[in-house]
Amino acid sequence: MKFLLVEDNMELAQAILSRLRLDGHVIDHAAKIQDAIAFSELGEYDLILLDIMLPDGDGRDFLQRHRQGRKDTPVIVLTARSQVSDRITLLDLGADDYVTKPFDHAELEARCRAVLRRRAGSARNVTQVGDVTFDPVAGVVQVAGTAIKLRNRELRLLELFMNAPGQIFSKQKLVDRLFSYDEDVSDNAIEVYVGRLRKHLETSSLRIRTSRGLGYSLEHD
């Protein structure tokens, strides 16, 4: 999954980044509202973690703008406000959930998983295409009932393909979804990951098709 973290406290931001990256997520970090707006306009995210008190304004303004733009990306608000009225206001503005500071990072991870499951309309969020099943929360992939081990970016690449079988993804689109903006990505990085994933799927009914000049798509026999 690709997340956007909007948080100006660098110590807290680094702790969140480290914890979620261990789970295999790709995360862009913005310390200001204007940076968050730029990120959200340039890229696509599966989840936004949003602080309220930011140096150039109120995170609630970003949330309201985000929803008025008809963007349905789930938003979890990170807030020090504990009053019921404050939490109601956040939910009415379009927040999907909130975590009150200080919070346990395990709780934040659990809330991220719960929001993503709700977005998918599933209690467990397991995807199946052909004879391959994928549980993105547990990071478990099975081919005809047999588990196979994939690295983090291979998992995220498979997730993209399985969520949209038959859709062609350009190399640039895959770069945008698999890497954060501050990562230096070589021209052949996507080819490398696609090649690795193809090897993992050799015994399955799925194939990654190359459309010359366009990109890659997931097909099944």
Side-chain angles (χ1 to χ4, degrees):
M1 296 286 181
K2 189 170 185 178
F3 294 177
L4 173 61
L5 171 64
V6 188
E7 170 62 63
D8 67 318
N9 183 314
M10 295 308 296
E11 183 177 352
L12 176 58
Q14 286 302 320
I16 295 173
L17 290 170
S18 298
R19 187 73 179 245
L20 293 179
R21 283 171 176 164
L22 282 176
D23 290 337
H25 301 297
V26 177
I27 310 174
D28 285 322
H29 173 225
K32 299 179 181 179
I33 290 178
Q34 289 304 312
D35 294 337
I37 291 172
F39 275 126
S40 64
E41 289 179 348
L42 288 171
E44 295 181 21
Y45 296 95
D46 298 295
L47 180 66
I48 296 174
L49 302 174
L50 175 66
D51 186 25
I52 292 299
M53 303 303 293
L54 295 163
D56 59 341
D58 193 317
R60 286 171 293 191
D61 295 332
F62 171 85
L63 175 59
Q64 191 168 23
R65 173 189 175 121
H66 185 72
R67 291 303 184 221
Q68 287 175 346
R70 299 187 180 277
K71 294 183 179 180
D72 61 357
T73 309
V75 177
I76 296 179
V77 173
L78 313 177
T79 178
R81 300 172 183 267
S82 58
Q83 295 295 321
V84 172
S85 59
D86 292 322
R87 300 198 298 266
I88 291 173
T89 297
L90 291 170
L91 294 171
D92 284 342
L93 284 174
D96 294 87
D97 201 352
Y98 58 85
V99 181
T100 304
K101 297 178 180 178
F103 52 80
D104 186 284
H105 289 281
E107 179 188 0
L108 177 60
E109 290 174 297
R111 288 184 180 273
C112 289
R113 292 193 295 268
V115 166
L116 291 169
R117 285 197 301 270
R118 290 201 299 270
R119 183 196 189 202
S122 168
R124 190 156 173 256
N125 198 22
V126 174
T127 303
Q128 180 167 359
V129 179
D131 60 358
V132 177
T133 58
F134 177 38
D135 183 339
V137 174
V140 175
V141 179
Q142 294 185 329
V143 175
T146 301
I148 60 173
K149 187 173 181 58
L150 276 67
R151 297 178 181 176
N152 283 337
R153 282 214 171 90
E154 295 164 0
L155 283 170
R156 301 312 160 201
L157 180 59
L158 178 62
E159 182 178 25
L160 284 173
F161 283 139
M162 289 188 68
N163 283 338
Q167 178 179 327
I168 297 176
F169 291 88
S170 68
K171 283 186 179 181
Q172 187 56 53
K173 180 77 168 181
L174 294 176
V175 167
D176 290 344
R177 297 290 289 159
L178 294 177
F179 298 89
S180 59
Y181 282 107
D182 59 357
E183 291 182 279
D184 186 18
V185 184
S186 64
D187 291 340
N188 68 342
I190 295 301
E191 294 178 14
V192 171
Y193 285 110
V194 168
R196 289 177 182 173
L197 187 56
R198 276 179 169 144
K199 289 183 179 179
H200 286 299
L201 297 176
E202 281 179 343
T203 61
S204 76
S205 63
L206 303 186
R207 298 292 177 265
I208 299 175
R209 176 185 175 189
T210 300
S211 297
R212 190 173 299 276
L214 296 175
Y216 305 96
S217 60
L218 186 71
E219 313 287 343
H220 69 88
D221 299 335

